């Protein structure tokens, strides 16, 4: 039987309407109807009770539905496995990263790896933590750079390499009454207007949890998808922001000019964020993905040794 028929059957069962299902599948209603009838003929059973407005599953249809979903999941799994093996043979590695790739120096690591292995093909996927986790679970990413608070919630078997540490800081307009303070307690920000990164981002969730722990919910006036937008709104006096310290550093040269257009204060007590390279167990990695993991480990060890010798 054509596997696509199982996919169409699942969609029709979900929609309970031929036209809606056909629209979702980007096909004609008559074509969908023919496919379902062909499926029923091959199985020798009726899958749907049909009326003028909607269709409902028969007992046979209800029996088939969970197996149809298993079949489609199996197709997705083996297709992904085959694609990953083909990419491995071609020397291709897919790296998932958080949005602040350049500011964490991740692009430097990737470019260094490319110089060492010039024949490798590197694909980058930038996304929110949930996206990265999904990509790694489905093996569409070989490795990901992620914040450990998110990784700790996983149910998959993974390894990790500690890449770097970061911490929350407060960003204020230069004319703000607290702009000259070197360190601020979160309680001092209770009545402030906040500019925040988008909901469900790691930093957003961390800020909300941290503020809740000291007894208040931040009054958020702006939600932004880009760090640059947050910093620009703070500079214009629209509010304050809590970001990780590395997010305030320009990727081009790693520093701002002498006169930074906003004030930065540390948070007391300090709120740390860990960034790690996460991947599946070594026996599930392609050879090129394993080489990338080894390269990151080598880079981190070299950096740590350099810091110790200073």
């Amino acid at each position: 039987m054509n596997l696509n028929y199982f996919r169409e059957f699942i969609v029709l069962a979900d929609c309970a309407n031929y036209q809606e299902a056909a629209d979702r599948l980007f096909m004609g209603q008559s074509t969908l109807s023919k496919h379902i009838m062909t499926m029923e003929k091959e199985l020798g059973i009726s899958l749907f009770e049909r009326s003028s407005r909607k269709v409902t599953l028969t007992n046979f249809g209800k029996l088939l539905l969970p197996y149809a979903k298993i079949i489609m999941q199996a197709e997705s799994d083996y297709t992904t496995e085959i694609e990953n093996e083909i990419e491995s043979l071609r020397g291709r590695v897919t790296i998932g990263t958080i949005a602040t790739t350049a500011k964490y120096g991740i692009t430097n690591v990737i470019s260094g790896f490319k110089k060492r292995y010039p024949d490798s093909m590197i694909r980058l996927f930038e996304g929110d933590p949930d996206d990265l986790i999904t990509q790694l679970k489905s093996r569409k990413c070989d490795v990901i750079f992620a914040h450990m608070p998110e990784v700790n919630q996983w149910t998959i078997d993974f390894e990790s390499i500690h890449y770097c540490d970061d911490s929350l800081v407060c960003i204020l307009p230069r004319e703000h009454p607290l702009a000259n303070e070197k360190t601020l307690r979160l309680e001092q920000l209770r009545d402030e207007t906040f500019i925040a990164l988008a909901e469900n981002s790691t930093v957003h969730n961390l800020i909300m949890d941290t503020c809740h722990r000291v007894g208040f919910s931040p009054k958020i006036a702006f939600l932004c998808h880009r760090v640059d937008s947050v910093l620009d709104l703070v500079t214009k006096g629209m509010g304050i922001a809590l970001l990780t310290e590395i997010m305030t550093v320009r990727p081009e040269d790693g520093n701002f000019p002498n006169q930074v257009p906003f004030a930065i204060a540390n948070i007391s007590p300090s709120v740390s964020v860990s960034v790690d390279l996460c991947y599946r167990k070594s026996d599930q990695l392609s050879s090129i993905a394993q080489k990338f993991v080894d390269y990151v480990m080598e880079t981190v060890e070299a950096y740590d040794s350099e810091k110790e010798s200073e």
Side-chain angles (χ1 to χ4, degrees):
M1 185 179 294
N2 190 326
L3 287 180
N4 286 328
Y5 291 177
F6 287 103
R7 180 178 294 105
E8 294 164 12
F9 164 72
I10 293 169
V11 173
L12 181 56
D14 182 52
C15 295
N17 180 278
Y18 268 101
Q19 188 59 61
E20 184 180 343
D23 290 343
R24 189 185 297 184
L25 291 163
F26 300 102
M27 64 192 306
Q29 182 177 342
S30 60
T31 301
L32 174 60
S33 179
K34 288 178 183 177
H35 289 176
I36 296 298
M37 290 176 65
T38 299
M39 193 175 183
E40 290 177 321
K41 185 175 180 181
E42 289 189 29
L43 292 171
I45 56 174
S46 293
L47 297 172
F48 293 97
E49 297 285 355
R50 295 161 174 84
S51 67
S52 58
R53 293 188 176 182
K54 60 183 298 186
V55 294
T56 56
L57 287 170
T58 63
N59 288 335
F60 285 117
K62 292 175 183 178
L63 182 66
L64 177 64
L65 185 59
Y67 293 101
K69 291 179 178 178
I70 292 171
I71 290 169
M72 298 316 302
Q73 184 60 53
E75 183 203 28
S76 175
D77 290 345
Y78 75 67
T79 299
T80 300
E81 286 286 352
I82 291 171
E83 289 174 350
N84 287 345
E85 185 61 25
I86 291 172
E87 290 187 358
S88 175
L89 294 173
R90 292 174 178 170
R92 180 179 297 173
V93 57
T94 303
I95 303 168
T97 73
I98 47 186
T100 48
T101 305
K103 294 184 179 184
Y104 280 110
I106 295 172
T107 47
N108 292 336
V109 174
I110 292 171
S111 61
F113 177 78
K114 178 65 175 177
K115 289 175 183 176
R116 179 175 294 187
Y117 300 99
D119 293 332
S120 63
M121 169 74 75
I122 299 172
R123 294 169 58 184
L124 291 180
F125 173 85
E126 286 193 358
D128 294 329
D130 287 344
D131 295 329
L132 295 176
I133 292 168
T134 299
Q135 294 293 313
L136 190 63
K137 278 184 175 180
S138 63
R139 294 185 173 87
K140 292 181 180 177
C141 278
D142 298 298
V143 298
I144 64 171
F145 287 92
H147 292 98
M148 280 307 290
E150 300 294 338
V151 177
N152 287 338
Q153 300 173 18
W154 296 2
T155 57
I156 63 173
D157 196 15
F158 72 95
E159 301 271 10
S160 66
I161 298 171
H162 179 62
Y163 177 70
C164 70
D165 288 311
D166 204 353
S167 58
L168 284 185
V169 293
C170 183
I171 316 299
L172 309 98
R174 282 213 158 269
E175 64 277 10
H176 194 282
L178 299 174
N180 294 324
E181 299 290 334
K182 298 297 183 183
T183 302
L184 292 169
R185 300 187 315 278
L186 279 175
E187 292 89 336
Q188 293 177 264
L189 309 177
R190 181 185 300 272
D191 298 322
E192 297 290 339
T193 297
F194 281 76
I195 302 162
L197 287 173
E199 294 174 321
N200 295 324
S201 66
T202 299
V203 173
H204 181 97
N205 293 338
L206 179 63
I207 291 166
M208 297 300 292
D209 291 343
T210 303
C211 290
H212 287 159
R213 281 200 296 270
V214 297
F216 76 96
S217 294
K219 301 172 184 176
I220 298 175
F222 297 92
L223 285 172
C224 307
H225 285 279
R226 294 177 55 85
V227 173
D228 290 346
S229 299
V230 174
L231 296 177
D232 193 45
L233 286 168
V234 171
T235 301
K236 289 178 168 57
M238 295 291 100
I240 68 167
L242 293 174
L243 296 173
T244 63
E245 186 174 8
I246 291 178
M247 288 180 174
T248 68
V249 178
R250 283 186 175 173
E252 298 87 352
D253 57 8
N255 213 335
F256 278 107
N258 292 332
Q259 184 63 23
V260 181
F262 44 78
I264 303 175
N266 293 321
I267 295 297
S268 178
S270 177
V271 180
S272 297
V273 184
S274 174
V275 178
D276 290 59
L277 177 73
C278 306
Y279 55 96
R280 292 179 174 274
K281 296 290 187 180
S282 58
D283 60 352
Q284 296 176 318
L285 287 175
S286 67
S287 59
I288 191 65
Q290 184 63 57
K291 288 177 181 177
F292 182 76
V293 169
D294 294 341
Y295 181 80
V296 173
M297 187 178 299
E298 175 188 326
T299 302
V300 170
E301 289 174 351
Y303 178 74
D304 289 344
S305 297
E306 184 179 330
K307 284 183 65 177
E308 289 175 2
S309 62
E310 290 178 354

